[in-house]
Amino acid sequence: MPIEKRNAGVVTSSSRAVAYSNNVAGTFKPAVPSFQRKPIDNEQEGNEQKPGAGLGMPAVAPFQLKSDNAGVIQRKVLVNGFPAVELGGGKALVGGNVVTVPGDRINWVRDGYARRYNAVEEFMKHAGREPVGVGLAKRLGLWYRLPPLENKKFFVLGESHNAFGYRELMNESNQKGKVLGEGGSNTLMSATSDSPLEKSNSPGALEDDNHEVREYAMENLIAKAYYSFVIFKSAEQKKSKETGVDNAAAVDNTEREAGDVWLANYQHAAKADRRRDGEAAGHIPYYNRSAKKVYAQTGTAAEGYASGAVGNSVLTKFYNAIKGIRQKTGYIATPGFIEDVFEPIMYFVETHIPGTWIPKAEEMSARLLSALGKGVKEEADLLEGRRKGVEIKGQESGDFMKPFLAEVKKRRGTTDNKASHGETAFAYRNFAMYRSVIKASRDGFVMAGMGDHHAQELEALLGALTPRIDVITMKGFMDYSTDAISPMTEQDEEFAAKRRAMVTAAVRYQREQNMMEKEEGNRDGSRNGNPAAGTASVVANDLD
């Protein structure tokens, strides 16, 4: 990927290059005089601009919001705070160098997200689909830089399922290796303390360039089904109580806009109207318009996440696994559990009417919860290395689960000695994840991804290992990230001057190139025209 770079501080393609310099404070100073650019305000919108006439800056919002921010331009690719400028023909001025941007990545220079690189080489690696430690979490509107990815060190990410997850991170940062993910579960009664990790059969599991699955399962299916049923039961009981009640229809105070439209409107909205959801809602940005919250529709997989649908699919998957085992002959591992759980799970998957909770449902619920509670203990013993019927001196079955349950109760703020079904199920899920993470950390995996609550509850336990396993919770991820969507003029008071400097350098470069082409054309008689005629307009289009 060509980078035209000769002299330090010189954007060059020939000896008549555009020079610039840095002062001791780090403020960019163009070597050529800057020129004025007058933003177009609401009253000026639609004014015709002549190519090169001050490179006027039109407002980009599809409709104008009343704010003090109309006409601002959000710059895109940034190297050490200085914006890139598109030159045309797939080239751009990036970090003081003229580069040919790989493939469709030139769109990064055109769109409205702030991608921040430390060097042009880092940008070119990212654009060239090589592994990097940076990336854009689009739905969160954040640009992240994660030290473990930069240092090639295994880590655990706590994700917000409806905002940004491990699959998006692996793709965005061009990470090619194996990943452990919450999306899949191990085969029933198969995971032991030394068994290999299983490839995930979850929809959307990550694949390599040869379309081979490179994502592995971390969960225990019984524990996941146990927790899913607790959530399912609570939701069904609530719906049943609401049946026949004449509740007023909920008022939807939200709207969705296509990502590029939303981003332009977000950046033109008044600063007071640009906000972000709280932790429970995933930290997703929005802007207020006419008493409604307006969110972006970016097309990421996280936008389709629905916890209820996921829970129901887990119960169906669990039921199908139980049916499959019953159809086989010679299964002797836990015949009691399989028979105990089959009838009640079949009832809820095949017979139960959604939104009702009749006495039969309550009866089957008690049987299912009892069976699942026993099943997760047997799975955990197997994973811990205990064998059924074998006593371990000084330790009762389940003692190893105490720290996991304690972390669950700590995060939830419960202090009673008795654990609820939900707390118990979540602790057993955490234990299975903990064991899987340890295996992945020793087998060349890039990372592991799990829900943020799991990550919060496992952070101390994984950090206590030798060697320790680092956990980046969603809070930590936010700390490693910077704003990628607010107007740059708000983020950097010197940004306007930096942008003018880069535009000036780009115009000089293009005029120089056109002059060279004209001279060559004059020599062979095949070219003519004004060398500066189309130059400024190309840069102006890039800046619009």
Side-chain angles (χ1 to χ4, degrees), residues 74 112-114 116 136 141-143 263 267 482-486 491:
Q74 168 74 7
Y113 294 96
R116 304 168 189 268
L136 177 68
L142 296 174
W143 177 256
L263 185 57
Q267 291 168 356
T482 54
D483 189 346
I485 54 177
S486 294
Q491 299 186 48

Side-chain angles (χ1 to χ4, degrees), residues 53-68:
L55 296 183
M57 179 174 61
V60 296
F63 59 87
Q64 288 298 305
L65 302 176
K66 298 300 182 182
S67 76
D68 56 358

Side-chain angles (χ1 to χ4, degrees), residues 33 106 310:
I106 192 67
V310 172

Side-chain angles (χ1 to χ4, degrees), residues 325-342:
I325 290 173
R326 292 181 82 249
Q327 292 168 357
K328 293 179 180 179
T329 58
Y331 184 84
I332 59 173
T334 53
F337 168 72
I338 299 300
E339 294 308 312
D340 289 347
V341 81
F342 178 68

Side-chain angles (χ1 to χ4, degrees), residues 222-356:
I222 299 179
K224 197 164 188 175
Y226 188 9
Y227 185 73
S228 294
F229 182 72
V230 171
I231 303 302
F232 170 84
K233 177 181 177 180
S234 176
E236 287 297 291
Q237 287 178 321
K238 182 179 179 181
K239 290 178 192 174
S240 179
K241 291 177 182 178
E242 293 173 349
T243 301
V245 178
D246 186 17
N247 292 323
V251 177
D252 184 5
N253 69 336
T254 66
E255 289 184 4
R256 299 289 186 275
E257 289 180 335
D260 55 347
V261 175
W262 177 88
L263 185 57
N265 288 329
Y266 177 89
Q267 291 168 356
H268 282 74
K271 189 174 183 178
D273 287 328
R274 287 182 261 124
R275 301 183 184 180
R276 187 177 288 275
D277 282 332
E279 178 182 354
H283 306 282
I284 300 171
Y286 63 91
Y287 72 89
N288 288 317
R289 183 179 70 215
S290 303
K292 286 199 172 186
K293 296 180 178 180
V294 185
Y295 293 90
Q297 195 72 34
T298 61
T300 60
E303 287 173 329
Y305 177 80
S307 59
V310 172
N312 291 345
S313 69
V314 169
L315 294 177
T316 301
K317 181 179 179 181
F318 175 66
Y319 171 54
N320 290 334
I322 297 297
K323 278 201 306 183
I325 290 173
R326 292 181 82 249
Q327 292 168 357
K328 293 179 180 179
T329 58
Y331 184 84
I332 59 173
T334 53
F337 168 72
I338 299 300
E339 294 308 312
D340 289 347
V341 81
F342 178 68
E343 187 179 358
I345 189 61
M346 179 175 65
Y347 169 82
F348 284 107
V349 173
E350 294 193 352
T351 306
H352 173 72
I353 300 174
T356 65

Side-chain angles (χ1 to χ4, degrees), residues 206-511:
L206 292 170
E207 298 179 344
D208 61 21
D209 293 338
N210 297 318
H211 303 292
E212 293 289 333
V213 173
R214 61 187 177 106
E215 180 178 327
Y216 289 72
M218 67 161 56
E219 287 242 49
N220 172 282
L221 182 54
I222 299 179
K224 197 164 188 175
Y226 188 9
Y227 185 73
S228 294
F229 182 72
V230 171
I231 303 302
F232 170 84
K233 177 181 177 180
S234 176
E236 287 297 291
Q237 287 178 321
K238 182 179 179 181
K239 290 178 192 174
S240 179
K241 291 177 182 178
E242 293 173 349
T243 301
V245 178
D246 186 17
N247 292 323
V251 177
D252 184 5
N253 69 336
T254 66
E255 289 184 4
R256 299 289 186 275
E257 289 180 335
D260 55 347
V261 175
W262 177 88
L263 185 57
N265 288 329
Y266 177 89
Q267 291 168 356
H268 282 74
K271 189 174 183 178
D273 287 328
R274 287 182 261 124
R275 301 183 184 180
R276 187 177 288 275
D277 282 332
E279 178 182 354
H283 306 282
I284 300 171
Y286 63 91
Y287 72 89
N288 288 317
R289 183 179 70 215
S290 303
K292 286 199 172 186
K293 296 180 178 180
V294 185
Y295 293 90
Q297 195 72 34
T298 61
T300 60
E303 287 173 329
Y305 177 80
S307 59
V310 172
N312 291 345
S313 69
V314 169
L315 294 177
T316 301
K317 181 179 179 181
F318 175 66
Y319 171 54
N320 290 334
I322 297 297
K323 278 201 306 183
I325 290 173
R326 292 181 82 249
Q327 292 168 357
K328 293 179 180 179
T329 58
Y331 184 84
I332 59 173
T334 53
F337 168 72
I338 299 300
E339 294 308 312
D340 289 347
V341 81
F342 178 68
E343 187 179 358
I345 189 61
M346 179 175 65
Y347 169 82
F348 284 107
V349 173
E350 294 193 352
T351 306
H352 173 72
I353 300 174
T356 65
W357 197 259
I358 60 177
K360 182 70 171 179
E362 187 60 36
E363 174 198 340
M364 289 296 180
S365 167
R367 289 175 57 184
L368 183 56
L369 288 171
S370 176
L372 290 170
K374 293 176 182 176
V376 289
K377 290 180 181 178
E378 292 184 23
E379 281 270 38
D381 278 350
L382 190 62
L383 189 54
E384 176 66 7
R386 298 178 63 96
R387 295 293 181 266
K388 194 171 182 180
V390 178
E391 297 293 330
I392 296 179
K393 186 175 181 180
Q395 185 186 100
E396 295 182 9
S397 176
D399 276 358
F400 56 86
M401 287 299 305
K402 289 180 180 178
F404 296 92
L405 184 57
E407 289 294 329
V408 171
K409 295 180 77 66
K410 177 182 175 182
R411 183 185 62 80
R412 295 189 176 195
T414 55
T415 56
D416 56 306
N417 292 326
K418 186 176 180 180
S420 67
H421 282 295
E423 290 172 335
T424 301
F426 212 76
Y428 276 102
R429 288 183 69 190
N430 286 348
F431 173 69
M433 291 178 173
Y434 172 84
R435 284 295 186 182
S436 296
V437 165
I438 292 175
K439 291 178 181 179
S441 72
R442 298 169 178 171
D443 194 27
F445 280 59
V446 175
M447 63 167 293
M450 61 181 66
D452 194 45
H453 287 167
H454 297 292
Q456 290 178 35
E457 293 162 6
L458 289 176
E459 184 175 16
L461 295 169
L462 291 170
L465 296 172
T466 303
R468 64 175 288 117
I469 296 176
D470 292 330
V471 175
I472 298 179
T473 62
M474 183 51 62
K475 181 181 182 304
F477 181 83
M478 301 284 284
D479 291 340
Y480 282 127
S481 303
T482 54
D483 189 346
I485 54 177
S486 294
M488 285 304 303
T489 48
E490 292 179 4
Q491 299 186 48
D492 181 358
E493 62 183 14
E494 296 182 350
F495 183 76
K498 294 176 181 178
R499 178 164 55 84
R500 283 195 298 271
M502 297 304 290
V503 170
T504 301
V507 169
R508 288 285 296 268
Y509 169 81
Q510 286 191 314
R511 285 175 176 164

